[in-house]
């Protein structure tokens, strides 16, 4: 059983916490402003909007050393909602990994909505969490938590694949915002 700290108490943070708890792991939810509360989890999920990540990394970087850090952000322009704000050959996850060299950074949950995490299904198929990262043990640990919580987990490759996951998440968000799909819909995978 793992111990997971989730920074972010919004819909995604709560949905991920529910999945973690359903799988039998310990979970604590911290508001992003709870800077005085120490991070105790061996896995830390950054369930905050992309613009909030830099502050969290800056104020809590020492607490994140040695931990598995899961980036769920989709680094999109909130002003225009029509582009990603990271370089074309980069990703938010890569930026986080560069800022936290003593952490094992993963990209996950960026291609799912809170509603599909909570329900465990997308269009009658199991919700799948795509996980990218360079540390096989960290990916395996997160995949075990995801599957214990009733979802599917798929290894999406190295952390370089975070760029594609962020683009897929961005596309899904723009489709939902444009009312082309529902916020309880999204992309499903078939094994």
């Amino acid at each position: 059983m793992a111990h997971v700290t989730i920074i972010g108490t919004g819909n995604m943070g709560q949905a991920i916490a529910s999945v973690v708890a359903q799988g039998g792991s310990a979970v604590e939810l911290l508001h992003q402003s709870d800077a005085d509360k120490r991070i105790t989890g061996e896995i830390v999920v950054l369930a905050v909007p992309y613009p909030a990540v830099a502050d969290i990394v800056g104020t809590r970087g020492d607490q994140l050393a040695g931990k598995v850090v899961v980036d769920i952000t989709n680094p999109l322009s909130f002003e225009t909602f029509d582009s990603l704000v990271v370089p074309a050959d980069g990703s938010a996850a890569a930026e986080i990994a560069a800022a936290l060299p003593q952490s094992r950074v993963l990209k996950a949950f960026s291609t799912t909505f809170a509603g599909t995490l909570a329900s465990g299904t997308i269009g009658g198929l199991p919700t799948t969490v795509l996980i990218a990262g360079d540390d096989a043990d960290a990916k395996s640990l997160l995949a075990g938590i995801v599957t214990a919580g009733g979802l599917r987990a798929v290894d999406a490759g190295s952390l370089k694949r975070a760029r594609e996951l962020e683009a897929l998440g961005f596309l899904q968000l723009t489709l939902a915002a444009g009312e082309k799909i529902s916020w309880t819909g999204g992309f499903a995978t078939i094994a």
Side-chain angles (χ1 to χ4, degrees):
M1 181 163 82
H3 183 137
V4 180
T5 297
I6 300 171
I7 300 175
T9 58
N11 291 341
M12 284 297 288
Q14 291 178 34
I16 294 167
S18 178
V19 169
V20 171
Q22 286 177 40
S25 289
V27 63
E28 68 178 331
L29 273 168
L30 298 179
H31 191 276
Q32 61 186 359
S33 64
D34 290 336
D36 59 323
K37 294 184 181 173
R38 190 113 182 109
I39 294 173
T40 58
E42 67 211 62
I43 300 172
V44 181
V45 178
L46 303 178
V48 297
Y50 172 71
V53 170
D55 183 55
I56 292 169
V57 168
T59 59
R60 293 183 174 268
D62 62 327
Q63 294 179 45
L64 298 172
K67 298 188 183 289
V68 174
V69 176
V70 182
D71 168 36
I72 78 162
T73 66
N74 285 301
L76 58 103
S77 169
F78 288 104
E79 292 83 33
T80 63
F81 219 67
D82 70 349
S83 65
L84 294 173
V85 296
V86 294
D89 61 347
S91 66
E95 291 175 356
I96 293 167
L100 299 172
Q102 295 179 25
S103 301
R104 299 180 291 162
V105 176
L106 301 176
K107 183 72 171 191
F109 301 105
S110 63
T111 60
T112 58
F113 288 140
T116 62
L117 290 173
S119 70
T121 62
I122 298 175
L125 297 172
T127 300
T128 299
V129 176
L130 301 172
I131 304 169
D134 294 333
D135 187 293
D137 291 337
K139 287 194 287 188
S140 179
L141 178 62
L142 182 60
I145 291 168
V146 166
T147 57
L151 307 180
R152 288 186 61 227
V154 172
D155 184 338
S158 72
L159 198 60
K160 289 180 181 181
R161 296 291 69 82
R163 175 64 183 185
E164 288 79 16
L165 296 182
E166 290 172 3
L168 183 61
F170 168 61
L171 176 61
Q172 184 171 258
L173 284 166
T174 58
L175 290 172
E179 298 181 352
K180 308 277 190 224
I181 63 171
S182 75
W183 291 98
T184 57
F187 300 115
T189 60
I190 299 172

